[in-house]
Amino acid sequence: TLDRAEVLILVKHMSFLRINCLRNCKTYQSRKPLWFYNTSLKFFLNKPMLADVVFEIQGTTVPAHRAILVARCEVMAAMFNGNYMEAKSVLIPVYGVSKETFLSFLEYLYTDSCCPAGIFQAMCLLICAEMYQVSRLQHICELFIITQLQSMPSRELASMNLDIVDLLKKAKFHHSECLSTWLLHFIATNYLIFSQKPEFQDLSVEERSFVEKHRWPSNMYLKQLAEYRKYIHSRKCRCLVM
C-alpha cells in the first residue's frame, strides 16, 4: 500500500502526464490538414453505423446521416426540416439517377471531393447536382468534362462514340451555361470533325448559325488555301520549307 505522501506524488505525476497528453493532442489536431477532416467522414459513407436515413435507389438501399446531408445541401436541409414526407420518414426513394451516380453525389457531400470515371459519369453527376442545387459540384463536373475534351487529340475526337450535341443539349436543359457555351465553341473550332458526324444535324437553327459563324477552319481560310494550292500546282514548284 501507498502512504499519503506517495499518493499525492502519484496524483501530481498523473496530472502532469494528462496535461501534457492534452497539449500534445491539441497540437496534433491543429497540425492536421483540412483534407483529414474531409476524408474522415468518408468512413461513414454508405455505412449503417449511426445512420438515421436510408435512400432507396434502383431496388437497393444506401444508408446516410441527416446531419451531414443537412449541413452540406440546402435542398436536403429543407427536405428534412420542412413539412415534407421525408422529414418524418426513414426510408426515402430516389428517382432519376442511378445508384452509382447518387453514391458519387454522397461522396462529395461527405468528403468535399469527387472523381468521375469519365465524361458520361461526370455529366450524370452534374445532373444530380443540379437536381439538389449543389452549384459547386456542378462547376467541378463542368471543369472535368471541359478538361477531358480539351486533352483529346483530333484523331480520338473523330473516333469517339460520345455524342457531343447530346451533351450540349443536356447541359442547356440542366442550366449549365458555362459548359453549354464552351461546347458550342468546341464544336465550332473542331468543325471539320463534328460536321461529319450524324448528330451534327441535331443542332438547332440558332446553334447551327453560331457554329457556322465561328467555325474553324473558316470558309475564307479554305478558299484561300485552295487558291494557294492551285497556284503552287500551276507553277509546278515545291515549298522550300518542306
Side-chain angles (χ1 to χ4, degrees):
T1 60
L2 300 174
D3 60 25
R4 181 179 178 81
E6 290 174 329
V7 170
L8 291 174
I9 293 173
L10 181 60
V11 169
K12 186 177 181 180
H13 180 66
M14 290 179 67
S15 298
F16 174 78
L17 289 177
R18 181 175 178 274
I19 291 172
N20 277 278
C21 181
L22 288 173
R23 285 175 179 172
N24 292 335
C25 182
K26 289 178 180 178
T27 303
Y28 174 69
Q29 287 179 344
S30 64
R31 291 176 181 174
K32 289 179 183 177
L34 182 61
W35 60 261
F36 178 87
Y37 300 100
N38 292 336
T39 55
S40 62
L41 289 179
K42 192 172 184 178
F43 292 115
F44 296 98
L45 178 63
N46 198 21
K47 299 288 176 56
M49 182 174 60
L50 302 178
D52 53 2
V53 63
V54 176
F55 293 100
E56 187 177 26
I57 314 166
Q58 296 180 327
T60 60
T61 56
V62 176
H65 307 78
R66 291 175 190 257
I68 297 174
L69 303 179
V70 167
R72 297 280 290 149
C73 176
E74 292 183 3
V75 170
M76 288 195 175
M79 186 171 70
F80 289 130
N81 292 320
N83 296 320
Y84 300 101
M85 178 187 68
E86 291 83 359
K88 300 177 182 178
S89 178
V90 175
L91 187 64
I92 300 174
V94 176
Y95 305 103
V97 296
S98 66
K99 180 184 177 182
E100 181 184 7
T101 300
F102 193 74
L103 280 174
S104 296
F105 174 69
L106 289 182
E107 182 179 6
Y108 171 78
L109 296 185
Y110 277 68
T111 67
D112 199 44
S113 64
C114 70
C115 187
I119 293 175
F120 178 76
Q121 187 185 7
M123 193 67 212
C124 292
L125 188 56
L126 185 149
I127 293 171
C128 184
E130 192 264 342
M131 184 188 305
Y132 289 98
Q133 296 296 297
V134 183
S135 58
R136 182 170 178 270
L137 179 56
Q138 281 183 268
H139 296 322
I140 291 174
C141 292
E142 284 179 331
L143 182 60
F144 178 88
I145 293 171
I146 291 171
T147 304
Q148 289 291 304
L149 289 173
Q150 277 183 328
S151 65
M152 287 186 183
S154 299
R155 184 175 297 179
E156 189 175 349
L157 283 175
S159 61
M160 71 176 182
N161 294 323
L162 184 67
D163 189 336
I164 293 292
V165 176
D166 181 61
L167 206 64
L168 169 64
K169 292 187 180 299
K170 286 180 177 177
K172 281 191 170 184
F173 184 80
H174 293 283
H175 309 101
S176 182
E177 295 183 10
C178 176
L179 180 60
S180 61
T181 301
W182 185 87
L183 284 172
L184 263 181
H185 281 278
F186 186 65
I187 293 171
T189 52
N190 292 276
Y191 184 87
L192 294 181
I193 294 175
F194 294 117
S195 62
Q196 303 300 316
K197 292 178 176 288
E199 59 266 20
F200 187 79
Q201 305 303 321
D202 296 331
L203 288 170
S204 67
V205 175
E206 183 182 353
E207 291 165 349
R208 185 72 173 266
S209 176
F210 178 91
V211 170
E212 294 291 347
K213 181 179 179 180
H214 298 87
R215 56 170 284 183
W216 180 259
S218 65
N219 286 323
M220 180 62 70
Y221 171 83
L222 292 176
K223 182 180 178 181
Q224 291 176 348
L225 180 62
E227 290 175 353
Y228 174 75
R229 286 175 174 172
K230 184 178 179 180
Y231 168 76
I232 293 295
H233 181 73
S234 65
R235 289 181 61 105
K236 295 183 179 180
C237 58
R238 190 173 57 182
C239 179
L240 295 177
V241 177
M242 301 301 289

